[in-house]
Amino acid sequence: MDNRQALGSWLSGPRAAAEEAGVDFGYRGEQLGLPEEGPGSIARPGRRIGALAVDWGLCLLIAYGLITQSYNEAAQIWAPLIMFALMVLTVGTVGFTPGKRLFGLRVLALDTARVSPWRAALRTVLLFLAIPALIWDRDGRGLHDRLAGTVEVRI
């Protein structure tokens, strides 16, 4: 093996090295029975982060404009509380937040396809802990989605 090949396999990660060796991982969402592309496929990280940023901006705007007159107080106290309520209420009823809707995403329960408020609350609490949202499985679901039994898909 050439040194460039060894270095290249290390830089591209273990998944690329395994695929190069002939292991077939399939596409994201295949194990869940979801399509590879288009509506119903697993949401990509860029869209998910964009939707979260829109929701956070909306919560900051509400906290600053309607509740406080200080950006610092709005960002530290009220915006996270509004974000928590927004996520639990909207995901638990219609399946998406305003940011998710803007980016064409929806949260579904794997067993019933409809997210209950309790499941949305569990998902939101785990998302607020941050660590579960940063640990992803091979289907592209965060640990918060996995523990809540949900998946975020494209509309």
Side-chain angles (χ1 to χ4, degrees):
M1 178 181 279
D2 186 0
N3 285 340
R4 290 177 291 171
Q5 286 178 330
L7 184 62
S9 68
W10 177 77
L11 288 174
S12 58
R15 180 180 177 120
E19 285 175 345
E20 199 171 285
V23 176
D24 181 26
F25 287 108
Y27 61 87
R28 291 176 185 243
E30 184 176 18
Q31 291 180 330
L32 304 173
L34 300 174
E36 184 173 5
E37 297 287 327
S41 64
I42 294 281
R44 298 286 183 217
R47 285 183 179 214
R48 295 176 77 158
I49 292 169
L52 191 61
V54 167
D55 290 334
W56 179 251
L58 180 65
C59 292
L60 272 176
L61 185 66
I62 292 169
Y64 180 69
L66 297 178
I67 299 173
T68 68
Q69 297 303 318
S70 162
Y71 175 78
N72 198 20
E73 187 181 342
Q76 290 180 0
I77 299 169
W78 292 103
L81 294 174
I82 294 169
M83 180 84 159
F84 184 84
L86 174 82
M87 293 182 87
V88 170
L89 292 174
T90 58
V91 171
T93 56
V94 293
F96 50 81
T97 62
K100 289 183 190 330
R101 182 67 179 139
L102 183 68
F103 279 83
L105 304 176
R106 184 180 183 115
V107 178
L108 300 173
L110 288 175
D111 51 357
T112 62
R114 186 172 173 104
V115 181
S116 68
W118 294 110
R119 192 173 283 194
L122 172 64
R123 183 182 187 276
T124 305
V125 166
L126 292 171
L127 183 67
F128 269 62
L129 293 176
I131 298 298
L134 298 174
I135 300 172
W136 294 44
D137 65 4
R138 69 175 255 204
D139 286 320
R141 292 190 314 157
L143 188 59
H144 65 293
D145 276 326
R146 196 172 174 111
L147 292 174
T150 59
V151 63
E152 195 164 345
V153 298
R154 293 174 55 195
I155 297 176

